[in-house]
Amino acid sequence: MRRFALAVIVVFLAGSCSLVSIDLTPRIRPLEEQTVDGRGNAKILLMDFSGLISDDAGSGSLNLGTATPRVPLLVRVREELEKASADPKVKAVVLKINSPGGTVTASDILFHEIDTFRQRTKIPMVAVMMDVAASGGYYVALAADTIVAHPTSVTGSIGVIMLTLNADGLLQKIGVTTTAIKSGPLKDMGSPLRSLTPEERAIFQSVIDDLHGQFVTKVADRRRIPLETAKKLADGRVYTAQQALADKLVDRIGYIPDALAAARRAAGVQEARIIVYQRPREYRATYYAGSKSEGDFDLSLAQVAKLVVSGPRFLYLWWP
């Protein structure tokens, strides 16, 4: 009977003059909970922050055919925090960070979302650094109550950088000139088609100084160190885990199990299940597996170029 019904539908469609369109684009499904370690009634949520921190909805990889839709990092983090808020069994959150940073605004939004969640729920939060948790990556870590650095982690790079393109020399070589009709002399400041004037450079520097000051203030407040000390540490340099510990930028050195143990102690539980939120078909068998969001790609020249060509961008980013 079912085959007959299918045959009737096929014949009807074949004989119809209408255009039938079938959307085969993969759908984004809601997050599902998966236990990756531990046991017990209490839960510790493990959140993953990997790659470039950005609100960019583009893909970081080459796709042949239909691209698999991916949820931007900021959207995913908000979704995970809302899901955790609705679960009274979630007693602590661990932020696993492996990022050189990203845009100023995306980094600040992540900090705000995590800090607001922490203050509203009173759930303890522990950040654990992997290879790199620098600049915007460290900015996000400041939202946690405790920061654990892997023995080989690199962190710091507290500062701001602006990347822009200057094609003026190339245009002169090929005999191309540009004209900007503008309402004011500074309307096209930062244009890649000409060099910066001293006045424009000074204006951009003032913006960078202000954004840098906001970063330094957060370091001083969250790490409970004098502002002058924070300013000395915030000259852009990176630190090893041992150096960061000596300068009170992190609380301890350890591995992911040490961060999970710190989360259990902070939550006041003897045992807990370590959970992650994943999309169907994502591989998250252990706490070393990462989530799939738009931040999950290596920082490459192509990605930085993508940031640059869209105009001047202010970044909390370590990009040597």
Side-chain angles (χ1 to χ4, degrees):
M1 184 65 181
R2 183 176 300 174
R3 291 182 178 178
F4 175 75
L6 180 60
V8 171
I9 293 174
V10 171
V11 171
F12 173 78
L13 293 178
S16 173
C17 296
S18 302
L19 178 63
V20 178
S21 176
I22 301 176
D23 185 4
L24 299 178
T25 304
R27 299 301 183 189
I28 297 174
R29 299 184 180 275
L31 291 172
E32 299 176 350
E33 179 183 311
Q34 177 174 334
T35 299
V36 297
D37 198 58
R39 61 183 181 180
N41 190 49
K43 303 175 184 178
I44 295 176
L45 172 62
L46 180 65
M47 299 180 67
D48 182 64
F49 298 83
S50 299
L52 187 69
I53 297 174
S54 172
D55 61 352
D56 186 8
S59 175
S61 59
L62 177 63
N63 291 286
L64 298 178
T66 302
T68 302
R70 302 175 72 185
V71 179
L73 178 62
L74 302 189
V75 176
R76 179 175 184 128
V77 168
R78 174 76 178 183
E79 188 178 356
E80 290 197 30
L81 292 176
E82 289 182 345
K83 190 174 180 66
S85 296
D87 188 351
K89 293 183 179 180
V90 174
K91 303 300 183 181
V93 176
V94 173
L95 314 173
K96 187 180 70 171
I97 302 174
N98 192 11
S99 171
T103 68
V104 167
T105 298
S107 301
D108 189 63
I109 288 174
L110 287 183
F111 175 92
H112 175 75
E113 290 289 339
I114 296 168
D115 189 54
T116 300
F117 172 88
R118 179 183 60 83
Q119 294 187 50
R120 184 181 72 252
T121 63
K122 308 302 179 185
I123 292 176
M125 308 193 89
V126 178
V128 57
M129 299 175 171
M130 302 301 288
D131 286 305
V132 177
S135 206
Y138 182 67
Y139 194 99
V140 173
L142 290 173
D145 301 293
T146 303
I147 301 178
V148 179
H150 190 277
T152 56
S153 294
V154 174
T155 187
S157 188
I158 302 168
V160 191
I161 186 171
M162 187 191 83
L163 298 179
T164 186
L165 182 69
N166 184 0
D168 184 43
L170 175 63
L171 295 178
Q172 291 183 15
K173 286 184 178 180
I174 61 177
V176 175
T177 60
T178 62
T179 301
I181 301 174
K182 49 193 177 180
S183 58
L186 299 176
K187 183 60 179 174
D188 65 337
M189 61 182 291
S191 169
L193 303 179
R194 63 178 181 79
S195 300
L196 289 174
T197 67
E199 181 185 9
E200 291 168 341
R201 184 175 294 274
I203 292 173
F204 277 128
Q205 186 64 55
S206 70
V207 175
I208 289 175
D209 291 343
D210 185 65
L211 295 173
H212 181 249
Q214 295 181 44
F215 198 161
V216 173
T217 299
K218 274 193 170 53
V219 173
D221 291 344
R222 295 296 299 153
R223 299 307 304 164
R224 297 181 177 85
I225 59 178
L227 183 59
E228 290 304 315
T229 300
K231 288 180 180 180
K232 292 179 181 179
L233 296 172
D235 60 359
R237 75 181 68 186
V238 293
Y239 300 92
T240 65
Q242 292 76 15
Q243 292 169 338
L245 180 63
D247 289 325
K248 299 182 180 180
L249 294 176
V250 302
D251 295 292
R252 64 192 67 175
I253 297 175
Y255 296 82
I256 289 183
D258 299 311
L260 296 174
R264 285 195 298 270
R265 288 194 299 270
V269 297
Q270 294 295 321
E271 58 181 15
R273 288 190 292 124
I274 312 305
I275 66 167
V276 297
Y277 295 143
Q278 65 173 37
R279 306 285 178 197
R281 305 174 76 176
E282 279 186 359
Y283 180 77
R284 302 292 300 276
T286 76
Y287 45 61
Y288 290 114
S291 63
K292 295 298 180 183
S293 65
E294 290 306 329
D296 295 328
F297 49 79
D298 295 330
L299 181 62
S300 63
L301 184 59
Q303 293 301 333
V304 174
K306 187 176 181 180
L307 291 175
V308 172
V309 296
S310 61
R313 303 289 291 272
F314 297 99
L315 307 170
Y316 288 149
L317 176 68
W318 178 43
W319 187 58

